[in-house]
């Protein structure tokens, strides 16, 4: 019964998702500032990765929720595989920086996190929900263009995410 309810909720969420107004594959990714304390580096912006790294934006609903805990625990365990693909992962949520730091420590995540309290970044990517971010993914290449995205608000297991990212980078 529980499984049937969960499946029904997922289907309803996708039916009520509305049109996908997020940036399209092939478009230049909207830039945004990245505060210094959140990357362990000087303050910068998404565009600072151009010519250096591919970036995987991982919008997520909230630290310490069950799906997000699983997602970033697995991402931490697979971090070296993302590094081998020259991919910098940025987790983006409306959580305060302190909560994100505690979450990172607790789940063993190795990626950087960006606090989007005002949902300004999430709005640029059509990933803003009521008080948090939807679960959207965007892979941005070293030229700043979107190579791949998933905007159906569904968790992608890390092994599948690695496969999708790897395939997109080979195109």
């Amino acid at each position: 019964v529980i499984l049937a309810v969960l499946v029904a909720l997922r289907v309803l969420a996708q039916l009520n998702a509305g049109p996908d107004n997020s940036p399209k594959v092939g478009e230049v990714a909207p830039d945004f500032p990245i505060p210094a304390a959140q990357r362990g580096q000087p303050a910068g912006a998404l565009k600072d990765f151009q010519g250096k790294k591919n970036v995987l934006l991982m919008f997520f609903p909230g630290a310490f929720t069950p799906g997000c805990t699983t997602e970033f625990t697995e991402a931490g365990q697979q971090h070296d595989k993302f590094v081998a693909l020259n991919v910098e992962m940025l987790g983006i949520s409306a959580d305060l920086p302190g909560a994100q730091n505690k979450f990172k420590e607790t789940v063993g995540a190795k990626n950087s996190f960006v606090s989007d309290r005002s949902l300004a970044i999430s709005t640029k990517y059509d990933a803003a929900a009521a008080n948090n971010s939807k679960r959207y993914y965007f892979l941005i290449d070293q030229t700043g263009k979107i190579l791949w995205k998933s905007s159906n608000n569904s968790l992608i297991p890390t092994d599948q995410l690695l496969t999708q990212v790897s395939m997109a980078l080979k195109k």
Side-chain angles (χ1 to χ4, degrees):
V1 171
I2 293 172
L3 181 59
V5 169
L6 290 174
V7 169
L9 288 174
R10 177 180 252 183
V11 169
L12 284 174
Q14 290 175 356
L15 289 175
N16 293 327
D20 180 4
N21 295 315
S22 64
K24 309 294 182 248
V25 171
E27 292 180 354
V28 173
D31 194 26
F32 57 87
I34 301 173
Q38 299 187 301
R39 294 196 298 155
Q41 310 225 352
L46 177 63
K47 68 180 178 187
D48 295 340
F49 290 102
Q50 289 182 12
K52 300 173 189 164
K53 289 191 175 189
N54 305 300
V55 179
L56 178 62
L57 303 181
M58 302 170 71
F59 291 92
F60 67 102
F64 299 104
T65 58
C68 299
T69 298
T70 298
E71 176 177 36
F72 286 100
T73 299
E74 289 178 3
Q77 294 165 348
Q78 301 290 333
H79 186 259
D80 291 345
K81 292 179 181 176
F82 285 99
V83 170
L85 294 171
N86 197 29
V87 172
E88 177 81 19
M89 293 184 290
L90 294 179
I92 302 172
S93 73
D95 296 300
L96 291 168
Q100 288 179 336
N101 290 338
K102 185 65 176 171
F103 177 63
K104 179 177 181 171
E105 176 186 312
T106 302
V107 302
K110 296 178 182 166
N111 60 283
S112 299
F113 288 89
V114 177
S115 177
D116 186 21
R117 292 295 298 159
S118 68
L119 298 174
I121 302 166
S122 298
T123 299
K124 287 182 179 187
Y125 286 84
D126 195 38
N131 294 318
N132 57 23
S133 296
K134 299 175 190 174
R135 189 179 307 283
Y136 280 18
Y137 303 85
F138 294 87
L139 177 63
I140 302 162
D141 71 10
Q142 293 181 40
T143 69
K145 289 189 180 175
I146 298 170
L147 284 183
W148 170 86
K149 72 176 190 171
S150 173
S151 56
N152 64 7
N153 206 20
S154 295
L155 177 68
I156 301 175
T158 303
D159 58 340
Q160 292 176 22
L161 185 59
L162 267 165
T163 299
Q164 292 290 328
V165 166
S166 180
M167 287 177 15
L169 289 169
K170 289 179 183 175
K171 289 183 180 179

